[in-house]
Amino acid sequence: MLQLESKTIIVTGGSLGIGLAVAKKCAEEGAKVIVAARNENDLRNAVEEIKKVSSREHRYYMLEESKINAVKDFAGWCNKNNLQINGLVNCAGIYGPIGKTTEIDLAKFTEAIHINFLGTVYMCSIFAPLIKSEKRKKIINYSGGGAASPFANYSAYAASKIAIVRFTENLS
């Protein structure tokens, strides 16, 4: 028996990298997958890749998760399409500016914090009440290597990823 049979899982950042690998594994385990990311071409390609491992109905949604109203619109789209969400995997993330904090573009720093950290917060806050489960709601937040130890010259990435760890601990 497949562990995710008849479940619908959202994977943010699901169009590339770790997010796509997670989405494919969820599909292999029987889930219907909704991949959410910013680039529609990458999303289309991701769904085609996912369909190679599972013929279920998989979807994509263009999402700028760093904007709370965009996340609210995504939740509305899920409701409008009568999608019963069983789990959420937050994988979306960017490195942001690379270099000494005194020399980087602080607007790009802020963008990385918004995408990596606040995007995760928004998704959890808005989707947790919508996740249907007989037992516990399933939310997985990826923090990456930036949370494990100092990551010189990647301060926006590292700070946002450790923030995800502390947020997740508090959420649980």
Side-chain angles (χ1 to χ4, degrees), residues 62-121:
M62 273 187 55
L63 177 65
E64 184 68 49
E65 74 172 18
S66 65
K67 300 189 181 336
I68 195 165
N69 287 332
V71 176
K72 288 178 181 178
D73 289 346
F74 180 31
W77 177 84
C78 290
N79 283 330
K80 178 182 168 193
N81 285 285
N82 297 313
L83 299 172
Q84 183 175 354
I85 306 302
N86 304 102
L88 168 63
V89 181
N90 288 302
C91 286
I94 62 171
Y95 279 124
I98 301 167
K100 293 181 180 182
T101 304
T102 56
E103 299 172 4
I104 60 171
D105 180 342
L106 290 178
K108 295 288 185 188
F109 183 99
T110 302
E111 177 187 36
I113 297 294
H114 279 211
I115 291 170
N116 297 353
F117 177 57
L118 291 178
T120 297
V121 171

Side-chain angles (χ1 to χ4, degrees), residues 35-47:
V35 290
R38 295 181 292 164
N39 184 294
E40 188 168 15
N41 191 50
D42 290 344
L43 284 163
R44 272 194 233 108
N45 291 337
V47 169

Side-chain angles (χ1 to χ4, degrees), residues 27-56:
E28 285 176 8
E29 289 295 327
K32 294 178 187 174
V33 178
I34 303 168
V35 290
R38 295 181 292 164
N39 184 294
E40 188 168 15
N41 191 50
D42 290 344
L43 284 163
R44 272 194 233 108
N45 291 337
V47 169
E48 291 306 312
E49 284 294 310
I50 294 166
K51 286 181 179 178
K52 291 178 184 175
V53 298
S54 166
S55 61
R56 297 192 187 291

Side-chain angles (χ1 to χ4, degrees), residues 10 71 74-75 78 85 88 122-131:
I10 295 171
V71 176
F74 180 31
C78 290
I85 306 302
L88 168 63
Y122 298 157
M123 288 297 296
C124 291
S125 176
I126 292 166
F127 276 89
L130 304 178
I131 296 174

